[in-house]
Amino acid sequence: VAYIPDSIYNGITELKVVYIDTLPIFEVKRFPLDLKFNQITKKIFDFIFAILVCIFILSWLFPIIALLIYFDSKGAILFIQKRNGLNGNEFGCYKFRTMVQSDDNSIKATERNDPRVTRVGKFLRKTSLDELPQFFNVLKGDMSIVGPRPHMISQDQYYRDIIIRYNIRHYVKPGITGLSQVKGYRGAIDSDDDMEKRIRTDVYYVRNWSFLLDIQIVYLTILLVIKGDENAI
C-alpha cells in the first residue's frame, strides 16, 4: 500500500498500523497538539504566563524602553511586521523598533553588523527585549509562548520550496521563543544549511511536543536573556 498525502504538510505525514482482529488498518499518525487536552493545556499556560509578564514586567518596563527608543532615533516605538502563523495565516507580529525608520525593514532580513540597527536596538536584540511586545500577540491568540519562531513572509515563500517539511512549522502557533532558539539556531541565515538546521529542530518540536518541553524551553530562554545570546544580531 502506498499513500501519498495531499496537504500543505506534504513530506511529514506518518502512518501507523492498528489492528481490528487480524485486519490491519492504516491511520494517519497524530501529533501531540492534535489532542484537544494538549491544546487546552498549552492555551491556558500561554494565557497565564502572558498575563503575569504584562502585569509584573511590561507594566513598568514598556514605558522605559519606549522612552529609550523615542530619544535614540525618530520613528514609531513598535515595529509591526506581517508574518505567517498557524496554518500559514498572516498576522501582525509586534516588536520594539530596533532599526532606523526605513521602507525596506519589512522585506529585508537583518544581517550581521546591520547598519540599520540603532544603539538602543543593539541592546534590545542582544537581550531579546525587543520581543516583549509579542506577549500581546499571545493574548490576541496569534502566537504562543513557545513554538517555531515566525519568519518573514518572503523567507517562507522561498524556503518552503527548497526545504522538505518546511510547512510543518505552521502546524502550531509561532512562539516568542522556541527549541531552535535555545539550541543556538538563531540569528543570521548565512546559508540554506542554517535554515535547514532551524527547520529540523522545529519539526522535532511539533512531533514531540509536551508541556514539560515547553517549560524547559522557557527556562533555557530565561538563562539566555540573563547572560545574553551571542547569536542575536
Side-chain angles (χ1 to χ4, degrees):
V1 176
Y3 173 73
I4 303 176
D6 182 19
S7 74
I8 65 169
Y9 307 113
N10 278 343
I12 53 82
T13 302
E14 295 180 353
L15 295 179
K16 67 176 181 178
V17 181
V18 296
Y19 289 87
I20 298 179
D21 196 2
T22 59
L23 182 66
I25 306 295
F26 292 88
E27 292 183 352
V28 176
K29 186 176 181 180
R30 296 204 290 177
F31 297 125
L33 286 173
D34 282 332
L35 302 178
K36 199 67 177 178
F37 177 79
N38 290 342
Q39 293 175 9
I40 294 174
T41 299
K42 189 170 177 62
K43 189 172 183 178
I44 291 174
F45 172 72
D46 286 343
F47 180 76
I48 293 175
F49 195 97
I51 284 291
L52 291 176
V53 169
C54 288
I55 293 175
F56 294 105
I57 298 179
L58 277 179
S59 59
W60 58 270
L61 188 56
F62 191 104
I64 293 176
I65 295 177
L67 286 174
L68 290 175
I69 295 172
Y70 175 80
F71 288 115
D72 185 51
S73 61
K74 294 181 179 179
I77 301 301
L78 292 180
F79 174 62
I80 304 175
Q81 186 178 52
K82 288 292 183 181
R83 301 201 176 184
N84 290 321
L86 182 64
N87 296 324
N89 296 322
E90 291 186 10
F91 72 99
C93 184
Y94 302 144
K95 294 184 70 173
F96 281 120
R97 182 176 60 83
T98 58
M99 296 182 174
V100 293
Q101 201 81 27
S102 174
D103 292 334
D104 66 353
N105 288 348
S106 293
I107 57 176
K108 183 181 178 182
T110 310
E111 302 171 347
R112 298 183 189 278
N113 303 313
D114 199 311
R116 295 174 296 167
V117 179
T118 64
R119 290 173 299 175
V120 170
K122 289 179 182 178
F123 169 75
L124 294 178
R125 285 173 173 268
K126 189 68 176 178
T127 57
S128 298
L129 291 176
D130 60 318
E131 313 287 359
L132 281 177
Q134 287 165 28
F135 284 100
F136 297 126
N137 282 121
V138 174
L139 293 177
K140 287 178 62 180
D142 296 326
M143 296 181 65
S144 180
I145 299 298
V146 181
R149 285 292 300 158
H151 294 157
M152 295 174 60
I153 292 178
S154 59
Q155 288 179 317
D156 282 340
Q157 292 172 340
Y158 174 76
Y159 285 109
R160 71 187 179 192
D161 293 329
I162 64 174
I163 298 180
I164 298 175
R165 302 173 301 173
Y166 183 89
N167 280 325
I168 193 176
R169 65 194 325 277
H170 297 142
Y171 192 80
V172 298
K173 289 182 181 179
I176 297 177
T177 185
L179 185 59
S180 295
Q181 282 61 50
V182 299
K183 288 291 185 180
Y185 305 136
R186 178 191 177 186
I189 302 297
D190 297 322
S191 67
D192 291 345
D193 185 59
D194 289 337
M195 183 61 80
E196 177 68 41
K197 292 176 181 177
R198 188 178 294 186
I199 299 307
R200 193 182 305 133
T201 314
D202 289 339
V203 169
Y204 177 89
Y205 174 81
V206 174
R207 285 180 169 173
N208 298 278
W209 177 89
S210 71
F211 181 66
L212 290 179
L213 179 59
D214 272 6
I215 296 298
Q216 181 183 17
I217 292 172
V218 169
Y219 170 73
L220 293 174
T221 300
I222 293 173
L223 293 182
L224 279 176
V225 170
I226 293 174
K227 70 178 183 179
D229 190 349
E230 61 182 15
N231 293 315
I233 58 173

